[in-house]
Amino acid sequence: MATETRERLYPRTEAQIKADIAEARARLAASIEQLAKEAQPKTLKNNAVDQVKAMADAQYQSVKGQFVDENGVRLDRVGMIAGSVAGVVATMLTLRGIYRGGQRRKVRRVARKQAAAIAAGPVKITVKRS
């Protein structure tokens, strides 16, 4: 009767339990080996590089999709960007001209003062001694 209760409570044999333990040990060893492989710096670096490349490619495809579709280049979008760039360049050139014009006027003003001073005659320079 005691044996019958034990078989009912523990239906597996000792050999089956040992086999299950050995199998679990093998799975654990494989998992640890895989984890160690994934934690190596070279593997981490390669994974990070792959992720960055994938993200950059996705961004490139997204931007490309804004300007190219199944019919070819979207001229409306390209024209809009070209017009914006032309506007920025024109603004920069205008501001540059204004700034340089102001500099030229300042240089001319200083040159006229110097020419007037030279035309006025020799200048007497006095030096104070302490």
Side-chain angles (χ1 to χ4, degrees):
M1 181 140 188
T3 309
E4 183 180 309
T5 306
R6 182 171 182 219
E7 288 177 4
R8 195 170 44 106
L9 291 176
Y10 307 108
R12 300 182 326 167
T13 64
E14 185 177 332
Q16 289 173 332
I17 293 172
K18 285 182 179 180
D20 288 345
I21 291 173
E23 183 183 333
R25 189 176 291 136
R27 283 194 318 263
L28 181 60
S31 296
I32 290 173
E33 186 176 311
Q34 179 65 27
L35 182 61
K37 186 177 181 182
E38 289 176 4
Q40 288 180 349
K42 186 176 181 180
T43 304
L44 293 173
K45 178 195 71 143
N46 290 340
N47 289 344
V49 167
D50 290 342
Q51 286 178 350
V52 169
K53 284 181 181 179
M55 184 186 69
D57 186 50
Q59 291 296 321
Y60 171 75
Q61 293 300 329
S62 173
V63 171
K64 182 180 173 185
Q66 295 292 321
F67 299 101
V68 179
D69 60 5
E70 62 276 352
N71 298 328
V73 177
R74 295 180 66 179
L75 294 178
D76 59 332
R77 298 274 175 106
V78 173
M80 191 170 32
I81 296 297
S84 298
V85 169
V88 168
V89 169
T91 302
M92 295 300 289
L93 290 175
T94 302
L95 292 175
R96 180 178 173 212
I98 291 170
Y99 177 74
R100 284 192 171 180
Q103 284 183 326
R104 287 185 189 128
R105 282 191 294 275
K106 184 178 179 182
V107 167
R108 286 187 200 124
R109 192 176 327 122
V110 170
R112 278 194 299 266
K113 284 182 183 179
Q114 290 174 348
I118 291 172
V123 178
K124 184 176 180 183
I125 301 175
T126 58
V127 178
K128 291 184 178 180
R129 293 189 184 178
S130 306

